[in-house]
Amino acid sequence: MKNDNERLRDRELVGTQVVWDLEHQGGKEWDDGEIYNPADGGAYDSELIEIDTNTLEVSGCVWFICREQTWKRVE
């Protein structure tokens, strides 16, 4: 990982908070939060949509450039 903080480069991600401060927008949408990118150690603007009980669509943005991921519940 390329985290600027060397102590955080090799830490376990299990148990690390990666999304915070999301505000419920109604329905299944959340916005105005932050998301942690372990690859570079940065935190970015985030929004989240619950697709179903096992699936989240998550995005992180810098200015108008966004990256999206679909997160699936692991059993």
Side-chain angles (χ1 to χ4, degrees):
M1 289 189 259
K2 299 176 184 176
N3 194 314
D4 287 339
N5 185 336
E6 288 185 37
R7 295 180 320 164
L8 300 178
R9 289 181 187 164
D10 295 323
R11 72 177 168 168
E12 289 289 325
L13 290 179
V14 173
T16 299
Q17 185 173 358
V18 295
V19 179
W20 61 92
D21 292 339
L22 288 164
E23 296 178 11
H24 190 228
Q25 303 298 306
K28 297 183 176 193
E29 296 186 25
W30 300 78
D31 200 356
D32 297 326
E34 298 283 321
I35 190 166
Y36 172 68
N37 179 358
D40 66 11
Y44 302 95
D45 293 339
S46 181
E47 64 181 51
L48 178 149
I49 299 171
E50 180 185 351
I51 304 302
D52 58 43
T53 57
N54 295 309
T55 311
L56 299 174
E57 185 175 286
V58 182
S59 66
C61 302
V62 175
W63 296 74
F64 58 88
I65 300 170
C66 299
R67 295 194 66 176
E68 295 180 359
Q69 290 184 336
T70 301
W71 292 358
K72 296 277 190 178
R73 184 185 307 265
V74 177
E75 295 184 28

